[in-house]
Amino acid sequence: MPEPAVVENPDAPDTGVAPLVSVRGLEVAFRVREAGPARWRRSLLNAVAGVDLDIPRGETLGLVGESGCGKSTTGRAILQLQRPTAGSVRFDGTELTTLSRAELRRMRSRMQMVFQDPYASLNPRMTVGESIAEPMLVHGVGDWRSRRRTVAELLETVGLSPAWEERYPHEFSGGQRQRIGIARALVLEPEFIVADEPVSALDVSVQAQTINLLESLQERFGLTYLFIAHDLAVVRHLSTRVAVMYLGKIVEVGGDAVYERPRHPYTQALLSAVPIPDPHVETERRRKVLTGDVPSPVRPPSGCRFRTRCWKAEEVCAQEEPALRPMGDGQWAACHFAGPVGPPPTPALTLPRPAPPALS
Amino acid sequence: MALLEVHDLRTQFRSRAGIVQAVDGVSFHVDEGEMLALVGESGCGKSVTAQSIMRLVPTPGGEIVGGQVMFKGRDILTMPARELRSIRGGGISLVPQDPMTSLNPVLPIGRQITESLKVHLGLRGAAARARAVDLLDMVGIPAPATRLRSYPHQFSGGMRQRVMIAMALSCDPSLILADEITTALDVTIQAQILELLKRLTRELGTAVIFITHDLGVVAGMAERVNVMYGGQIVERATTVDLFDTPRMPYTWGLLGSVPRLDQPRQGKLRPIDGYPPNLAEPPPGCRFAPRCAFRRDVCLEEPPALVSVPAADGRIQEARCWGMREPGDGGWLRGQSWRAALREQNREQNEVHHA
């Protein structure tokens, strides 16, 4: 193993420790055909258009945004499941984008993915024991006996009975299948896991079980997560820091400040749209309801990509693309009007609420 | 008189595993112009309840085996087909979860809206088109006259849901069944659609049965809530009472399972153990008992009835729970604060784990 190179990182605060995962200028473009007025046209769709991220070891970075914003593609491109068009992805000091297939395969055991739909990601003709053991076969880990032992231990770790290893995926409920997906991701003892909407398809009660499982696994194995989701409450619960994506770009990133003092208008709108399970809060809230839909990523708006739906947009927004700028406290936002000086941003949530009536 | 009264509704499905009691003795009412929520997790019977109200249970396999659905004093379950058709067209309309599967992909949406105007209101030609333009304008679709010629795939998910709401409102129904209408949408679009539904039904005085799994959405929409579990209504209250003083341990579990954005970060979430019951072989006692941290022997043996519990300002709420009986009658959960109860349960579990 070569010495881990020092990551040049002009933007991020100097913590003295190189992050486990460091992404710079990541771009992914897909060739698409779209129906034009006369005939099919070929165009480029920039799903990820220049993303910078750092994930320190042992932390969870939440990546949020609405469908089509490029958050899943970012996750896949970091793991090289989707080769990036441009940019750099460093994992523990190793540049992944230039690795050969064989070198990449060796690295893969250290980073894994948990998918949204465990039913689609498990082979229906393999028993769950076979599915969980498969990565060990591929990577030549252990012998038959030790692999069986590992499978049994893992099933227990994720809260399933080891006796169920002979069963097939269809015999399990959605929440149980997600546990199997997690066991499979853990089998090679990875350091880094990209979890792509792992709880979105689950019912609330089962969702909470899975969230708790992901948390306790992180504590137990010192895992680093990239947690991709659209549910801001879940992301805040699980993540150390959060990055908000819109149309292929990161518009805001930071710690709790992002929820408490969101600087980017899109983050404000997103937070304001999340329903709160409390009628007292809901009746007093004033929502910032965004008009319109997300524009096509094939022809994104000039300048700031959010300007077509932004209530603050002015001429400069159409001409100049705002860069991510530091707002203090580890918070960064890409908006011309989100300066650390100037009027304080509107709080997205009305926090004060009447005390609940005394319980009978 | 209530607009809709559902009494002891029972709907079952035949499956390889046996007979599944999807809806098992559900009773509730909806008043004129009211928004009532039906909330629960997948498989709790909330959508089948909606299908049963319109007699749209999929056949063969599904069958309504008992109960009454009184709409404006007439029982939908026994009325002749002709009368039923007029109710489906004008009295009650359904907004489904996924507009893409309920719109015809090869017909322009104008044709699909005017079709029901023709069948149910007898509007034709220019009059029908004018009404369709009005409807699309009302739900906030830009350039409605040109959009009549567009096909469903040319609309975004949010816009398609607006079209569905327009179609649901087209024949001036007195009740709309909204079945998970925002589940497939992003939050910013969800906020738009919920505002729209709330504003239009308030203006038009339309009653709504709002079906969802999302407690957050319920809090901002409905006046009263029915919580369903395992084919039954397990708790019923005004929205404020349900969130302030939930009575059924299942509701406690639902509220403890969701992280809240408006409160400081909490430690671990408090999920409900286990998985929902198999309704082909429902548990003999309380359906929730096998997962309930507060159960006693009686819960596993005998099914509880809905019991009335006093709520704030002289209101009454109901819970299907043995523990919520009068304390003199053996109710051990009456007067418990749910937050304290869940904290206590957590502490005990931790002690067990560390022991």
Side-chain angles (χ1 to χ4, degrees):
Chain A
M1 280 285 285
E3 273 300 294
V6 179
V7 183
E8 312 128 49
N9 185 4
D11 291 342
D14 187 18
T15 49
V17 189
L20 180 65
V21 179
S22 183
V23 177
R24 288 294 173 270
L26 187 71
E27 284 181 33
V28 181
F30 295 105
R31 261 192 286 277
V32 291
R33 291 201 320 162
E34 24 160 25
R39 58 195 184 93
W40 290 91
R41 279 189 303 192
R42 285 176 197 283
S43 350
L44 270 188
L45 184 156
N46 280 295
V48 182
V51 159
D52 299 346
L53 289 174
D54 280 324
I55 316 178
R57 199 180 277 277
E59 279 197 4
T60 301
L61 177 70
L63 188 57
V64 294
E66 298 181 279
S67 27
C69 72
K71 55 191 193 299
S72 292
T73 309
T74 303
R76 297 174 60 88
I78 289 174
L79 295 186
Q80 309 296 310
L81 294 174
Q82 167 71 48
R83 284 291 194 165
T85 321
S88 131
V89 178
R90 279 174 177 270
F91 178 80
D92 201 10
T94 310
E95 177 62 48
L96 299 182
T97 50
T98 51
L99 289 186
S100 70
R101 289 174 81 122
E103 290 167 321
L104 192 58
R105 176 182 288 196
R106 278 196 295 279
M107 288 301 282
R108 280 253 163 79
S109 64
R110 300 174 62 192
M111 39 192 193
Q112 290 291 321
M113 186 142 182
V114 174
F115 298 91
Q116 169 173 356
D117 180 358
Y119 201 52
S121 53
L122 290 170
N123 186 334
R125 291 164 193 244
M126 280 163 84
T127 66
V128 305
E130 286 166 356
S131 271
I132 296 172
E134 196 187 20
M136 292 190 280
L137 283 174
V138 172
H139 287 267
V141 176
D143 55 22
W144 181 84
R145 200 177 297 273
S146 76
R147 284 198 288 265
R148 288 223 36 187
R149 205 167 47 236
T150 310
V151 168
E153 279 169 15
L154 270 173
L155 281 171
E156 192 122 38
T157 306
V158 298
L160 296 174
S161 162
W164 293 346
E165 64 161 309
E166 300 287 324
R167 295 195 186 180
Y168 288 88
H170 76 266
E171 297 175 71
F172 293 90
S173 71
Q176 290 169 324
R177 283 200 286 262
Q178 193 54 287
R179 288 170 188 264
I180 296 164
I182 292 170
R184 189 168 198 250
L186 286 175
V187 71
L188 295 174
E189 298 174 19
E191 296 151 61
F192 175 55
I193 289 185
V194 174
D196 188 4
E197 301 266 14
V199 298
S200 313
L202 307 176
D203 272 319
V204 265
S205 71
V206 180
Q207 184 175 324
Q209 294 174 5
T210 313
I211 291 169
N212 283 356
L213 175 66
L214 287 169
E215 277 180 315
S216 62
L217 292 173
Q218 181 168 42
E219 284 159 28
R220 188 163 154 196
F221 301 111
L223 295 168
T224 306
Y225 287 142
L226 176 67
F227 186 80
I228 301 170
H230 65 274
D231 185 330
L232 277 153
V234 169
V235 167
R236 186 182 76 146
H237 180 81
L238 269 172
S239 314
T240 333
R241 287 190 313 139
V242 60
V244 182
M245 260 184 109
Y246 186 79
L247 264 187
K249 290 202 178 276
I250 290 187
V251 296
E252 183 153 8
V253 58
D256 282 347
V258 173
Y259 308 99
E260 286 151 18
R261 283 169 280 113
R263 300 291 191 152
H264 198 284
Y266 179 61
T267 317
Q268 292 169 9
L270 207 56
L271 281 167
S272 149
V274 176
I276 303 287
D278 186 331
H280 301 292
V281 175
E282 282 292 318
T283 46
E284 274 174 35
R285 254 173 120 184
R286 263 175 305 164
R287 276 228 155 79
K288 190 141 267 160
V289 176
L290 282 183
T291 49
D293 283 309
V294 183
S296 158
V298 179
R299 276 173 305 279
S302 66
C304 171
R305 293 179 170 218
F306 183 58
R307 72 175 164 86
T308 52
R309 300 172 80 196
C310 185
W311 61 94
K312 284 187 182 165
E314 286 180 26
E315 226 173 280
V316 58
C317 304
Q319 284 149 11
E320 263 177 66
E321 191 181 329
L324 268 178
R325 290 181 298 134
M327 302 285 138
D329 227 4
Q331 187 180 7
W332 300 62
C335 173
H336 291 300
F337 302 106
V341 278
T346 30
L349 288 171
T350 38
L351 280 174
R353 54 189 286 259
L359 299 168
S360 58
Chain B
M1 192 184 68
L3 175 69
L4 179 87
E5 268 191 88
V6 177
H7 181 67
D8 198 28
L9 181 69
R10 292 169 193 277
T11 304
Q12 62 188 32
F13 289 90
R14 273 190 300 276
S15 78
R16 264 186 301 182
I19 288 175
V20 175
Q21 290 287 350
V23 177
D24 193 6
V26 162
S27 305
F28 63 89
H29 75 275
V30 188
D31 288 324
E32 302 257 0
E34 177 194 32
M35 188 170 303
L36 174 83
L38 219 51
V39 55
E41 300 179 276
S42 25
C44 72
K46 54 192 192 301
S47 291
V48 180
T49 301
Q51 290 166 357
S52 306
I53 289 172
M54 294 191 83
R55 259 166 82 184
L56 287 172
V57 178
T59 48
E63 198 185 348
I64 301 170
V65 292
Q68 284 179 317
V69 178
M70 304 298 287
F71 179 69
K72 296 184 174 167
R74 303 270 298 145
D75 186 0
I76 291 180
L77 298 188
T78 55
M79 66 178 47
R82 174 189 293 271
E83 207 178 333
L84 178 65
R85 198 154 54 230
S86 81
I87 283 195
R88 284 179 186 160
I92 307 179
S93 40
L94 180 85
V95 185
Q97 171 176 347
D98 181 3
M100 203 53 197
T101 54
S102 29
L103 287 168
N104 187 334
V106 297
L107 284 182
I109 60 127
R111 283 272 297 281
Q112 305 189 47
I113 299 175
T114 50
E115 186 189 5
S116 70
L117 295 174
K118 190 167 92 184
V119 173
H120 296 293
L121 300 181
L123 287 178
R124 276 160 208 280
R129 261 198 308 282
R131 171 87 175 129
V133 170
D134 284 349
L135 284 164
L136 289 187
D137 192 40
M138 189 169 79
V139 296
I141 288 182
T146 13
R147 290 303 256 170
L148 283 183
R149 287 192 295 274
S150 302
Y151 290 86
H153 76 269
Q154 293 169 306
F155 290 86
S156 67
M159 285 294 160
R160 279 198 290 265
Q161 204 52 286
R162 285 173 193 263
V163 172
M164 291 309 295
I165 292 174
M167 289 173 75
L169 290 170
S170 62
C171 302
D172 292 320
S174 22
L175 176 66
I176 286 183
L177 307 180
D179 188 2
E180 300 266 16
I181 57 167
T182 58
T183 307
L185 304 176
D186 281 315
V187 279
T188 60
I189 308 297
Q190 164 170 291
Q192 293 174 3
I193 297 294
L194 293 178
E195 286 292 315
L196 178 76
L197 183 74
K198 208 154 58 168
R199 181 173 59 78
L200 287 179
T201 53
R202 194 169 291 162
E203 283 170 13
L204 301 168
T206 317
V208 181
I209 299 182
F210 190 83
I211 298 170
T212 180
H213 67 280
D214 189 334
L215 283 167
V217 171
V218 169
M221 295 291 284
E223 289 130 49
R224 291 190 302 130
V225 188
N226 283 314
V227 181
M228 286 191 73
Y229 185 81
Q232 299 175 324
I233 288 177
V234 295
E235 179 153 12
R236 186 193 335 261
T238 66
T239 309
V240 171
D241 292 334
L242 186 90
F243 286 88
D244 282 349
T245 55
R247 303 295 184 179
M248 167 79 189
Y250 174 61
T251 317
W252 299 355
L254 284 182
L255 290 169
S257 295
V258 284
R260 283 184 54 166
L261 211 45
D262 63 325
Q263 285 182 353
R265 271 171 202 265
Q266 62 217 83
K268 291 256 162 151
L269 297 175
R270 292 187 278 259
I272 306 170
D273 278 337
Y275 301 95
N278 171 4
L279 292 182
E281 294 166 72
C286 168
R287 301 262 155 108
F288 183 61
R291 303 175 73 187
C292 183
F294 307 95
R295 63 163 182 252
R296 297 205 174 158
D297 288 346
V298 59
C299 306
L300 293 165
E301 287 153 12
E302 273 179 74
L306 277 172
V307 292
S308 302
V309 186
D313 301 330
R315 288 188 297 265
I316 294 287
Q317 69 190 89
E318 290 172 279
R320 192 181 291 280
C321 177
W322 284 117
M324 277 296 160
R325 286 171 301 173
E326 295 284 342
D329 208 11
W332 62 94
L333 291 175
R334 201 44 107 74
Q336 269 270 32
S337 139
W338 68 280
R339 288 197 178 86
L342 286 187
R343 258 197 308 276
E344 180 70 11
Q345 169 209 343
N346 242 33
R347 209 172 46 81
E348 275 168 27
Q349 272 174 2
N350 286 343
E351 276 165 13
V352 171
H353 279 295
H354 291 297

